[in-house]
Amino acid sequence: MVDLSVEVGGLRLKNPVIAAAGTFGFGTEYARLYDVGLLGGICTKGLTLKPRPGNPPPRLWETPCGLLNSIGLENPGVEAFLQEELPRMRGLGTAVIANIWGETPEEYRELAERLSRSDVDAIELNLSCPNVPGGKIRGGVPEEVARIVGLCRRVCEKPLWVKLPPEGDVLEAAQAAERAGADAVTASNTFRALAIDIEKGRPAFAGRIGGLSGPAIKPIALRVVYELVQKLKLPVIGCGGITSWQDALEFIMAGAHAVQVGTGNFIDPLCIPKIVRGLADWLAGRGMEDLEGVRGCAH
Ligand SMILES: Cc1cc2nc3c(=O)[nH]c(=O)nc-3n(C[C@H](O)[C@H](O)[C@H](O)COP(=O)(O)O)c2cc1C
């Protein structure tokens, strides 16, 4: 019998494979396709204090092996989430991680405080969003990371995860999050990137810069995780370009306690249950009972 359950950043998950924020909505659409109770957890779409309409179209732009997005954090706002989405999500049978975005450090604190009193299992601070103004720098500036995490920590009794951008001084930012009381670090969000619409002769997105995700970023995201694990005491949740159980295993061998899958869900909506199954089969094939003997073995 294989036991895939993991303890990550103050939260026990039935397995280490989590749907990444913004790529799985609030889980209910996917629940029509399969039992999303098979997932380790779901990170919600990034929640803000007020509802946001998001950016004008186009919002997605395919690239070879990758995807550029400029969604602009469209979401119904934290109140509608708490009233309408969260009760539905609680019925899905998996952990709920609320991903949040504040315009200011104080907004992060307010969101963390409200969600800490709710039924979510953990809170993930999104500290970079390449497609909203100001979003690019936050997670790359250790002082700003420390301030936001510190403010949230004081009001949040739930596990607090900090999601960083892959750019800037990621190690210093992660260490600042650790000192300020984070329970885990998610590495990473999308890369700042650009596409030009050659018919129009201008950037494809109205906001110009978008976020690159998908298989194109996997080796870089993997390197970020590998380096962070060597220096941090906190557990690291790997994210970036994972589309198969082999990818997930690479991140776990690099030392990740859990992984998040984003763009992979757009390529194959059944991607996550296939990854969970693939990990279990791989362990069983080697007569191993859990991931303990594998995690970090590549160091
Ligand atoms: C369409 C789209 C929307 C996203 N929205 C969010 C979001 O609201 N909050 C967040 O922290 N990350 C968001 N992300 C980033 C993903 O959660 C993930 O970190 C990133 O895409 C890298 O993983 P992947 O290559 O598996 O997609 C979004 C990504 C995509 C493609």
Side-chain angles (χ1 to χ4, degrees), residues 114-129:
R114 282 196 200 184
L115 287 157
S116 179
R117 294 193 303 259
S118 81
D119 215 9
V120 303
D121 295 300
I123 296 173
E124 182 179 67
L125 309 179
N126 173 8
L127 296 185
S128 71
C129 188

Side-chain angles (χ1 to χ4, degrees), residues 17-19 24 34 39 261 265 269-277:
V17 195
I18 304 166
F24 212 79
Y34 67 90
L39 274 60
V261 178
N265 295 298
L270 298 176
C271 178
I272 300 185
K274 286 179 185 169
I275 292 174
V276 173
R277 183 62 191 267

Side-chain angles (χ1 to χ4, degrees), residues 6-110:
V6 285
E7 168 87 29
V8 50
L11 188 59
R12 187 97 207 151
L13 302 176
K14 63 176 86 171
N15 68 63
V17 195
I18 304 166
T23 64
F24 212 79
F26 299 105
T28 38
E29 288 91 353
Y30 283 88
R32 286 186 224 131
L33 284 178
Y34 67 90
D35 174 12
V36 297
L38 294 168
L39 274 60
I42 299 173
C43 290
T44 68
K45 175 64 194 167
L47 300 165
T48 49
L49 274 182
K50 301 260 160 54
R52 282 177 71 114
N55 291 339
R59 294 167 161 198
L60 295 177
W61 196 269
E62 273 193 61
T63 67
C65 302
L67 178 70
L68 271 170
N69 90 82
S70 177
I71 306 293
L73 287 169
E74 177 183 350
N75 81 98
V78 69
E79 283 312 319
F81 167 74
L82 290 171
Q83 301 297 322
E84 290 155 35
E85 302 293 349
L86 184 55
R88 281 199 283 264
M89 283 191 90
R90 287 281 47 148
L92 298 176
T94 189
V96 175
I97 300 113
N99 179 280
I100 63 174
W101 171 264
E103 290 299 328
T104 60
E106 289 70 27
E107 277 195 18
Y108 277 100
R109 180 185 55 198
E110 198 172 333

Side-chain angles (χ1 to χ4, degrees), residues 20-22 45-46 69 73 99 126 163 188-190 213-214 239-241 262-263:
K45 175 64 194 167
N69 90 82
L73 287 169
N99 179 280
N126 173 8
K163 184 168 176 182
S188 323
N189 210 314
T190 54
S213 62
C239 180
T263 306

Side-chain angles (χ1 to χ4, degrees), residues 4 245-246 249 272-284:
L4 284 180
W245 65 265
Q246 291 93 335
L249 197 54
I272 300 185
K274 286 179 185 169
I275 292 174
V276 173
R277 183 62 191 267
L279 289 175
D281 287 349
W282 186 84
L283 287 171

Side-chain angles (χ1 to χ4, degrees), residues 9 125 149-150 153 159-162 174 176-185 234-235:
L125 309 179
V149 177
R153 182 73 288 171
L160 190 60
W161 298 358
V162 177
E178 183 169 79
R179 282 194 297 274
D183 293 304
V185 166
L234 285 185

Side-chain angles (χ1 to χ4, degrees), residues 196-203:
I196 291 180
D197 182 335
I198 55 170
E199 295 307 321
K200 297 183 178 147
R202 53 173 200 256

